[in-house]
Amino acid sequence: MSCGNHHDTECSEVLDHLYEYLDNEMGEGDCAKLREHFEECSPCLEKYGLEQAIKALVKRSCGCDTAPSDLRGKVLARIEHIRAGLPVEGELVAGGEPDRVAEASAGSQVAADAVAQD
């Protein structure tokens, strides 16, 4: 997406990092660049406002649900597994067969995102 105007930070870059901004996962310098862009680009500001409203609605609607402790533990263990650079379940292993554990853990990325929000 581009509004057609020149900006120091391109619209596509801003939108690529919008959720990092919304989730306070950016350094202050990058946040300042996005804030400056929003001040001069109404289409991106509108997109930011929409995503912010959706995030607030989801939090309000689903915020009281907590993951069972065993699920939370499994998801956190999987995150650490990935961070350690170990093969992810579902990837092809040496013999060319997919890891069957992935079939049982479909949707774990969504669960990981939910756990990270807690």
Side-chain angles (χ1 to χ4, degrees):
M1 174 184 149
S2 177
C3 66
N5 296 325
H6 172 74
H7 303 288
D8 289 339
T9 306
E10 294 295 321
C11 296
S12 60
E13 182 181 346
V14 169
L15 297 177
D16 285 346
H17 297 283
L18 184 57
Y19 280 99
E20 292 171 60
Y21 181 77
L22 284 166
D23 294 337
N24 297 316
E25 296 175 345
M26 299 180 88
E28 182 52 40
D30 291 329
C31 285
K33 284 180 13 180
L34 266 64
R35 282 192 298 269
E36 179 181 326
H37 184 92
F38 293 140
E39 289 175 6
E40 57 190 36
C41 182
S42 60
C44 287
L45 179 61
E46 184 177 332
K47 179 73 171 166
Y48 163 72
L50 176 64
E51 296 300 327
Q52 185 179 38
I54 290 170
K55 185 175 170 78
L57 177 63
V58 168
K59 183 176 183 175
R60 196 171 56 243
S61 299
C62 304
C64 60
D65 297 336
T66 57
S69 60
D70 62 327
L71 173 62
R72 183 179 174 88
K74 288 176 185 177
V75 170
L76 290 173
R78 182 179 171 106
I79 291 170
E80 289 305 315
H81 186 86
I82 292 168
R83 286 183 179 159
L86 300 171
V88 178
E89 296 153 348
E91 290 182 341
L92 292 179
V93 293
E97 290 291 320
D99 187 339
R100 299 291 176 214
V101 176
E103 295 172 10
S105 63
S108 61
Q109 183 61 46
V110 173
D113 292 341
V115 168
Q117 298 271 330
D118 283 346

